[in-house]
Amino acid sequence: MAVERTLSIIKPDATRRNITGKINARLEEAGLRIVAQKRIRLGRDQAEAFYEVHKERPFYVSLCDFMTSGPVVVQILEGDQAVERNREVMGATNPTDAAAGTIRADFAESIEANSVHGSDSADNAAREIAFFFKDEEIVG
Ligand code: ATP
Ligand code: MG
């Protein structure tokens, strides 16, 4: 059993529809523990820096517009193989491809407004956690 941490973001389409509790229930039912959480409004610079890896992609500007369009909930999830487990619970990026019962299949509005973000590797999880949280904000 490898206990890991991963970064999750509940995106503006989900905060707008007031379904953050429903999403948290899915995460907790999957065995993931929310060990840090805060509701924030991303600034333009923050969104651009967070998604810098996608800078050359055609959807980059629109994605940064979307991610700054309303509040988000950033959170650290802890659990056995948390990175992979969270990706399973989230489902595929495009909700039309997401497996039944996943968060994106049940809640996402579109490939862009797809309700949640989750780190895609242990290295990115560490980088993304440090991007949003100080050590003293994490209570495991
Ligand atoms: P995330 O990084 O948010 O967990 P992901 O790893 O499944 O999602 P990425 O390929 O990293 O997907 O894309 C990051 C985000 O960019 C997606 O979650 C989605 O919001 C948006 N996105 C990805 N592909 C497209 C696309 N073709 N058109 C519009 N938006 C897209
Ligand atoms: Mg990604």
Side-chain angles (χ1 to χ4, degrees), residues 10 14 19-28 103 107 115-116:
I10 302 179
I19 56 172
T20 63
K22 286 184 180 165
I23 290 173
N24 279 351
R26 298 289 184 97
L27 300 172
E28 291 179 347
I103 292 171
F107 299 123
S115 302
V116 281

Side-chain angles (χ1 to χ4, degrees), residues 11 50-51 53-54 57 87 90 93 104 116-120 124 128:
K11 296 184 178 183
F50 185 77
Y51 282 115
V53 60
H54 294 312
R57 308 281 285 276
R87 299 283 296 184
M90 289 162 58
T93 310
R104 284 167 166 170
V116 281
H117 162 86
S119 308
D120 60 10
N124 281 337
E128 292 175 1

